[in-house]
Amino acid sequence: MDMQTSLLDRLFDSGLLIDTGVEGLYGRSGAFEDVIARFERLIDAYGGADGAEAMRFPPGMNRAHFETSGYMKSFPQLAGTVHSFCGGELDHMSLLQCMEVGGDWTKDQKATDIVLTPAACYPLYPTIAKRGRLPAKGGLYDLQSYCFRHEPSNDPARQQLFRMREYVCMGTQEHVTTFRQTWMDRGLEMMEKVGLDVTIDVANDPFFGRAGRMLANNQRDQNLKFELLIPVTSAAKPTACMSFNYHQDAFGAKWGLNLENGDVAHTACVGFGLERIALALFARHGLDIAAWPEAVRKTLGYRD
Ligand code: ATP
Ligand code: ZN
Ligand code: MG
């Protein structure tokens, strides 16, 4: 049995994660959720004084906005769309017949106006663009959403529905790259405080296909994406638990985000993988939260 299966099995056995029969789709126990809530309070303690505007979107987004985002150009393999039955009574009868004989009843489902959110920041850009030019001090937003990615896996740290907490910054190049650096420093400090071993490394997104390889190389060469890595299932191959992304003016140009002087805004986002951070804590300190090191428990606000 490999390491990954065994951590997942231990999480199931302890009840921290709940098996649904689908890889990467899990229920969470109250204790697991409480770890996430406490870690989010730690994030608030670091970012709370920055004056970010908090917004919470549901895990589905406007399909038209998803189309504009270009997600299907870069990551068609990860996307999830919401389809529904839109027929009449006759269609309903053939649907039930099809299910009865074990046929593919899903092929007649029609696309709705909703697509599953692939990253917490996606619904933000069109929302901010609609407001008009950014204020003189730029924009800073606090987001959290369940996100969907079609990447089934028996690695408990690679889920299909998971939560991302994000801060997104819009402004000049100088402004947003300083924001990104600030969160890299904070990320290292926060993870140290909860007793996790961290490294930061340059990274790239899994752009699809042969053209995608060039995009990935370019992203790496220009240091556009960094990841904060923590051992979860393997010390040799640590897991990305945070990412720090500089989009240059690509999102600004795509969405029509402009500064007060009319210049196209630069943007950056910093994402926390909330389940991954909880899993890193369980992998490092054990599945029994009461037995976690005193300093870690104190940082997370557990009473003795
Ligand atoms: P990876 O390289 O591991 O696939 P990623 O580069 O796709 O990660 P991002 O797109 O930067 O990740 O997403 C922001 C954060 O969301 C990641 O740093 C990670 O912590 C978390 N995350 C991404 N994909 C998953 C997943 N499938 N399950 C759980 N958390 C995830
Ligand atoms: Zn983002
Ligand atoms: Mg990925």
Side-chain angles (χ1 to χ4, degrees), residues 78 149 151 158 204-206 227 276:
L78 298 174
R149 293 185 185 178
E151 44 185 2
R158 189 166 298 287
N204 63 264
D205 287 311
E227 287 176 340
R276 285 189 179 179

Side-chain angles (χ1 to χ4, degrees), residues 149 151 157-159 162 225 227 240-243 273 276:
R149 293 185 185 178
E151 44 185 2
R158 189 166 298 287
Q159 307 191 357
F162 59 94
K225 184 182 183 88
E227 287 176 340
C241 292
M242 285 185 76
S243 76
R276 285 189 179 179

Side-chain angles (χ1 to χ4, degrees), residues 85-98 108 110:
F85 171 75
C86 300
E89 287 193 50
L90 278 176
D91 305 300
H92 184 217
M93 276 170 58
S94 46
L95 167 79
L96 294 183
Q97 259 157 26
C98 181
D108 292 324
K110 296 267 185 297

Side-chain angles (χ1 to χ4, degrees), residues 24 28 71 75 78 118-119 147-151 153 155-166 203-206 225-229 238-245 269-277 279:
R28 294 98 162 92
Y71 196 81
F75 313 111
L78 298 174
C147 299
F148 174 85
R149 293 185 185 178
H150 184 236
E151 44 185 2
S153 167
D155 176 353
R158 189 166 298 287
Q159 307 191 357
Q160 298 200 64
L161 275 158
F162 59 94
R163 271 158 297 177
M164 212 185 275
R165 173 79 181 265
E166 280 199 57
N204 63 264
D205 287 311
K225 184 182 183 88
F226 288 95
E227 287 176 340
L228 181 151
L229 303 153
T239 300
C241 292
M242 285 185 76
S243 76
F244 312 87
N245 308 283
C269 69
V270 167
F272 293 82
L274 296 175
E275 283 77 10
R276 285 189 179 179
I277 292 167
L279 291 169

Side-chain angles (χ1 to χ4, degrees), residues 2 8 22 39 69 83 92 113 123 138 159 174 189 193 202 211-212 240 246-247 257 277 284 291-292 297 302:
D2 65 12
L8 185 57
V22 176
F39 194 84
S69 78
H83 284 62
H92 184 217
D113 289 333
Q159 307 191 357
E174 159 82 22
E189 194 180 304
K193 277 207 166 146
V202 65
Y246 173 38
H247 315 124
L257 296 162
I277 292 167
R284 177 76 180 82
W292 285 4
R297 286 178 55 83
Y302 285 101

Side-chain angles (χ1 to χ4, degrees), residues 2-271:
D2 65 12
M3 284 260 293
Q4 285 179 7
T5 324
S6 76
L7 178 62
L8 185 57
D9 283 343
R10 290 197 298 130
L11 289 160
F12 285 161
D13 289 344
S14 66
L16 286 164
L17 289 187
I18 302 158
D19 190 0
T20 67
V22 176
E23 281 187 346
L25 182 72
Y26 309 119
R28 294 98 162 92
S29 73
F32 189 95
E33 288 298 290
D34 187 42
V35 170
I36 288 187
R38 285 167 189 278
F39 194 84
E40 281 208 86
R41 262 173 257 149
L42 183 63
I43 299 172
D44 295 336
Y46 274 82
D50 297 347
E53 177 183 347
M55 278 182 245
R56 295 293 180 264
F57 291 93
M61 65 178 287
N62 183 329
R63 174 157 63 95
H65 293 161
F66 174 84
E67 288 164 3
T68 304
S69 78
Y71 196 81
M72 292 308 280
K73 273 191 206 140
S74 297
F75 313 111
Q77 77 279 20
L78 298 174
T81 53
V82 177
H83 284 62
S84 285
F85 171 75
C86 300
E89 287 193 50
L90 278 176
D91 305 300
H92 184 217
M93 276 170 58
S94 46
L95 167 79
L96 294 183
Q97 259 157 26
C98 181
M99 290 183 87
E100 185 79 33
V101 300
D104 179 12
W105 62 275
T106 61
K107 67 183 190 312
D108 292 324
Q109 298 277 101
K110 296 267 185 297
T112 67
D113 289 333
I114 297 176
V115 168
L116 295 175
T117 305
C121 62
Y122 271 61
L124 178 72
Y125 305 105
T127 302
I128 300 307
K130 213 165 88 182
R131 291 181 179 172
R133 288 186 180 184
L134 287 161
K137 63 179 189 350
L140 182 64
Y141 312 94
D142 163 354
L143 305 164
Q144 197 252 52
S145 177
Y146 260 103
C147 299
F148 174 85
R149 293 185 185 178
H150 184 236
E151 44 185 2
S153 167
N154 65 359
D155 176 353
R158 189 166 298 287
Q159 307 191 357
Q160 298 200 64
L161 275 158
F162 59 94
R163 271 158 297 177
M164 212 185 275
R165 173 79 181 265
E166 280 199 57
Y167 285 101
V168 180
C169 184
M170 303 179 183
T172 61
Q173 163 165 17
E174 159 82 22
H175 179 181
V176 309
T177 53
T178 302
F179 154 86
R180 184 171 72 151
Q181 185 59 52
T182 300
W183 274 108
M184 290 208 262
D185 299 340
R186 286 175 176 173
L188 284 172
E189 194 180 304
M190 292 168 71
M191 299 309 175
E192 238 159 70
K193 277 207 166 146
V194 292
L196 297 173
D197 300 324
V198 287
T199 51
I200 287 190
D201 204 355
V202 65
N204 63 264
D205 287 311
F207 294 101
F208 188 76
R210 207 170 338 135
R213 189 143 357 123
M214 274 170 53
L215 292 174
N217 288 339
N218 177 59
Q219 189 183 30
R220 232 166 224 280
D221 294 345
Q222 295 194 260
N223 285 345
L224 298 183
K225 184 182 183 88
F226 288 95
E227 287 176 340
L228 181 151
L229 303 153
I230 308 175
V232 179
T233 49
S234 148
K237 272 206 221 149
T239 300
C241 292
M242 285 185 76
S243 76
F244 312 87
N245 308 283
Y246 173 38
H247 315 124
Q248 299 171 303
D249 63 358
F251 286 15
K254 178 174 303 184
W255 291 109
L257 296 162
N258 295 97
L259 306 180
E260 211 191 21
N261 67 6
D263 287 356
V264 177
H266 285 235
T267 62
C269 69
V270 167

